[in-house]
Structures are given as C-alpha cells and as structure tokens.
C-alpha cells in the first residue's frame, strides 16, 4: 500500500512538472512571435517603423496587367512579321525516334496509320504524317514520318517519345527492327511564313524543290542538316534538323540571310497562336487517347488502301 502511494505521488509530481513546463513554453510563445515579427518586418533603413502586414504585402495595382500588355504587344508584332515574311522558332520540345533494321519498312507500315511503305528518299515522296493508334482506333501519337535511306525518322512531341518507344517495342517479336531515341543528337528549328522556303534555299545555295511533307539532306552554312517541308501554321514552312552544337551557328546564318526578307526570331507563344488559328491539333492539347482521327480532321494521316 505504501509503495503504491509513493508511486502515485511521483506520478502526480511528474504530471505537475510537465504542466508547469508547458505553461512556461506557452507563456514564452508570444514573446518569440513578437521577436520574429520584429526581425522579419525590420525596415532596411533605420529610424522608420515597419509597415503594417496588410500594407506590406499589398500588390501594386496594374503591375501584372502592364506586364501582360507588353507581352501581348510583342507577340502580336511577331505574328504580323511572320505572316508578312517568316519567323524562326527553336523547337526545344520536339523529339526524334530512329527506326532501323532490315524489316523496318514492313514493320513500321503495319504499326502506323499511313502508307509508310510507299515512301522513297528524295524531294518528292520521302515523308508523310501518320498516327499511332490504340486498339480502339484512338490517337496515341502523331509522328511525322521521314525516310532518308537506311532508316526512318519519327518526329513527334518530346513528351511522347518514351511512351511511343515503349508501345512500339512491345510489337517487335521476331523482326529485324531497332528503335533509338535520337532526340539528343539534333537541334530542332522551324521557319514558318511565306518567305520560309526562299530563305532556306538562299542559305543552301540552291533550290531544294521540296514537295509537301518531304525531307532531304542539305548543307546550311557549312553544316549538314536535314530540311523538311511541313509546319503547323497553314503557311509555307521548313523544318530543320541540325546536329547538336551547331544550332547557334545555323541560327545566326539564317537571321543574316533572312534579314532582307524580313525574317524575325519568335518565341513559342507566337507559334502556338498560329497553330490554333490554323486549326492544327497538337498532342497533349487537342489530341489524346480519347480522340478518333476523323474527329480531329486528320484524314491526311490515314491510308485506307495500303497493304
């Protein structure tokens, strides 16, 4: 009994000590908060009282709207210049898949929606738009297919490269086909506007004579590049595949050659506006695995009589 009483007394003393310690901590808390507020709100120059919290964090009226107005004006000026001449864009978010192997033509023709087997290297029929569809016919990827000889290039959105590689790799059973992500080996540029073909031809030193969707090798400013004839603005366009490390050199040469024609370097916002105005759908924006090709008016990417 005595032992139990002593144990209960120790528990009560311990509980009282904890309560007293908690009360002291709570009593010191307002002092700590006042100290922290004084440190945070201390004015930069001595002698001035800190502004109240409401006044200190109140945003300046009209500041955000003024910034948006300047950006809108800059984009609008760029779009007018592109429609009159041409615009140069850096396509950092585009990806590239290389398809190689002896069975690449037959295998890729069976995987994509367009007639890939009919493509031939050259300026006439070396490329076409295509779609990678799900089992129910929905859109999984929208690559631009190009053949340059010993391989095929699938040019598509950079965010879709990994998923597209994983999907295609599942269907390589006993085929002589290999897939590689070649995005890191090239820098992507695009010229959109009515003067785009003339500027590229001027830099190449010859008339490339590209048909729609075709692509060929061409030397631009001493750099071996691939030039393609497709775009997203419903205007004349040229796509450039430049070896990594040579992009800035080619850009400077393009701007120098294109200056008399009115070439301007524009940002991706301008290209996105032109794409939307032209009604060209984009994967991740209007296209996903819930959309059927006819719903997006992508009949050009389909072939109903191949095989």
């Amino acid at each position: 009994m005595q032992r139990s009483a002593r144990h209960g007394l120790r528990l009560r003393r311990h509980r009282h000590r904890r309560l007293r310690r908690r009360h002291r901590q709570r009593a010191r808390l307002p002092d700590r908060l006042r100290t922290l507020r004084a440190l945070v709100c201390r004015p930069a120059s001595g002698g001035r009282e800190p502004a109240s919290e409401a006044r200190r964090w109140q945003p300046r009226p009209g500041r955000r709207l003024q910034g948006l107005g300047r950006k809108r004006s800059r984009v609008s000026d760029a779009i007018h210049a592109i429609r009159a001449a041409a615009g140069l864009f850096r396509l950092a978010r585009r990806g590239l898949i290389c398809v190689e192997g002896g069975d690449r033509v037959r295998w890729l023709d069976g995987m994509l929606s367009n007639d890939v087997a009919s493509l031939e290297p050259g300026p006439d029929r070396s490329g076409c738009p295509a779609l990678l569809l799900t089992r129910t016919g929905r859109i999984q990827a929208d690559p631009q297919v190009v053949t340059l000889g010993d391989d095929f290039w699938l040019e598509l959105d950079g965010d879709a490269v990994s998923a597209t590689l994983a999907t295609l790799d599942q269907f390589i059973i006993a085929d002589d086909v290999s897939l590689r992500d070649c995005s890191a080996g090239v820098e992507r540029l695009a010229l959109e506007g009515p003067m785009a073909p003339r500027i590229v031809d001027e830099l190449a030193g010859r008339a490339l004579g590209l048909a729609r969707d075709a692509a060929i090798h061409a030397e631009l400013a001493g750099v071996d590049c691939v030039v393609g004839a497709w775009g997203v603005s419903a205007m004349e366009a040229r796509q450039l595949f430049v070896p990594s490390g040579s992009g800035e050199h080619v850009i400077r040469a393009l701007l120098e050659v294109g200056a008399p024609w009115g070439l301007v370097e524009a940002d991706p916002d301008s290209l996105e506006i032109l794409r939307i105005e032209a009604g060209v759908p984009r994967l991740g924006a209007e296209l996903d695995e819930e959309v059927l090709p006819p719903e997006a008016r992508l009949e050009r990417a389909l072939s109903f009589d191949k095989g």
Side-chain angles (χ1 to χ4, degrees), residues 231-242:
V232 299
S233 64
M235 296 184 288
E236 294 285 351
R238 290 294 182 266
Q239 305 292 316
L240 305 182
F241 299 79
V242 184

Side-chain angles (χ1 to χ4, degrees), residues 13-78:
R13 288 176 179 174
H14 180 66
R15 187 182 302 114
H16 291 162
R17 283 196 297 269
R18 284 192 304 171
L19 290 175
R20 286 196 297 270
R21 185 165 59 248
R22 188 177 303 170
H23 287 316
R24 287 196 299 268
Q25 291 174 351
R26 290 179 178 176
R28 287 196 296 265
L29 184 59
D31 296 334
R32 293 180 179 178
L33 290 177
R34 282 193 293 269
T35 303
L36 289 174
R37 289 196 184 101
L39 290 173
V40 172
C41 300
R42 180 177 296 172
S45 58
R48 294 180 57 186
E49 291 293 329
S52 64
E53 187 174 354
R55 184 179 178 183
R56 186 180 184 87
W57 297 106
Q58 185 176 4
R60 297 180 182 178
R63 185 175 183 180
R64 179 176 175 82
L65 295 179
Q66 291 173 3
L68 289 176
R70 288 193 296 269
K71 182 177 181 180
R72 186 180 297 113
S73 176
R74 184 176 68 251
V75 172
S76 177
D77 294 342

Side-chain angles (χ1 to χ4, degrees), residues 135-209:
R135 295 179 180 178
T136 57
R138 265 66 177 181
I139 299 172
Q140 190 168 355
D142 60 339
Q144 178 77 21
V145 185
V146 172
T147 179
L148 298 171
D150 296 333
D151 59 358
F152 282 100
W153 284 7
L154 306 183
E155 193 270 343
L156 69 168
D157 188 272
D159 295 335
V161 170
S162 298
T164 303
L165 280 172
T167 301
L168 292 175
D169 188 66
Q170 297 175 0
F171 297 96
I172 301 177
I173 308 301
D175 308 286
D176 181 15
V177 175
S178 63
L179 305 174
R180 291 189 298 116
D181 183 359
C182 303
S183 306
V186 296
E187 297 183 33
R188 289 285 286 106
L189 305 174
L191 279 79
E192 302 265 354
M195 295 298 173
R198 302 185 67 175
I199 294 172
V200 175
D201 291 350
E202 183 75 16
L203 186 59
R206 62 187 178 95
L208 300 180

